[in-house]
């Protein structure tokens, strides 16, 4: 049985950016992660990282694009919708998505948070386990071993009015 490790990022990031000192502020506009099921696609407002082919999948364990069974999903995403599925065999192949968020004020501290989970799959080929790598405004954060939906959050001061965000394996 083939085993492939995936990382899943939720469909609805809860208040992706917020002024950290005033949590009652509205979140800034950002491209949500999720959308309608699709293979080899990215959510609206995001681009595929380095020519890769992520998928948007449901959290019920099915893989609507054939051949695979997704295992170890610990239920619905926090947003309740579909999620982005990233697979990889690092360093040769790393799926990912990237976007630019604009309209930031470098003098404010912003909070960033997302849910993710590591899962396995059968019948999809031979893939290797990899860490989830998140790059925010040039800083790299690495995560591993989330056996259930895990919330990651941190604060930062943007280096300018626009920043890049990348999720990859």
């Amino acid at each position: 049985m083939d085993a492939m490790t995936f990382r899943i990022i939720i469909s609805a990031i809860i208040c992706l950016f917020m002024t950290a000192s005033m949590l009652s502020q509205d979140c800034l506009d950002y491209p949500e992660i999720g959308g309608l099921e699709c293979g080899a696609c990215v959510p609206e407002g995001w681009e595929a990282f380095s020519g890769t082919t992520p998928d948007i999948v449901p959290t019920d364990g099915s893989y609507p694009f054939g051949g695979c069974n997704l295992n170890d999903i610990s239920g619905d995403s926090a947003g309740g919708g579909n999620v982005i599925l990233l697979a990889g065999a690092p360093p040769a192949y790393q799926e990912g998505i990237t976007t630019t968020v604009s309209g930031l004020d470098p003098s404010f501290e912003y909070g960033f948070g997302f849910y993710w989970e590591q899962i396995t799959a059968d019948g999809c080929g031979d893939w290797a386990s990899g860490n989830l790598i998140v790059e925010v405004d040039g800083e790299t954060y690495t995560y591993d071993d989330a056996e259930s939906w895990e919330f990651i959050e941190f604060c930062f001061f943007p280096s300018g009015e626009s920043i890049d965000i990348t999720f990859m394996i």
Side-chain angles (χ1 to χ4, degrees):
M1 173 169 61
D2 295 320
M4 177 172 13
T5 299
F6 290 96
R7 310 291 181 178
I8 295 182
I9 310 242
I10 69 161
S11 59
I13 292 178
I14 297 174
C15 208
L16 177 64
F17 288 100
M18 67 187 110
T19 303
S21 61
M22 301 183 75
L23 295 178
S24 63
Q25 292 288 323
D26 290 335
C27 296
L28 299 176
D29 289 332
Y30 66 92
E32 292 188 31
I33 297 177
L36 299 176
E37 292 175 15
C38 59
C41 64
V42 295
E44 186 175 334
W46 293 82
E47 296 177 14
F49 168 77
S50 191
T52 61
T53 58
D55 304 310
I56 299 176
V57 299
T59 57
D60 64 3
S62 66
Y63 184 73
F65 316 108
C68 295
N69 295 312
L70 305 180
N71 305 312
D72 308 320
I73 299 176
S74 56
D76 290 339
S77 69
N82 294 330
V83 295
I84 189 82
L85 179 68
L86 305 176
Y93 182 77
Q94 294 177 277
E95 285 188 345
I97 57 174
T98 188
T99 193
T100 300
V101 176
S102 300
L104 303 177
D105 183 338
S107 67
F108 286 112
E109 185 176 34
Y110 293 90
F112 178 73
F114 60 93
Y115 284 88
W116 78 287
E117 178 175 23
Q118 178 179 347
I119 66 168
T120 59
D122 309 325
C124 309
D126 188 21
W127 295 81
S129 180
N131 295 326
L132 174 66
I133 302 165
V134 181
E135 292 182 0
V136 178
D137 197 20
E139 296 291 325
T140 301
Y141 306 88
T142 303
Y143 305 97
D144 63 2
D145 298 328
E147 294 181 13
S148 61
W149 289 112
E150 183 177 302
F151 184 63
I152 303 293
E153 64 181 330
F154 52 89
C155 298
F156 69 98
F157 286 91
S159 62
E161 293 179 4
S162 296
I163 64 165
D164 292 328
I165 300 170
T166 302
F167 290 98
M168 66 186 142
I169 296 298

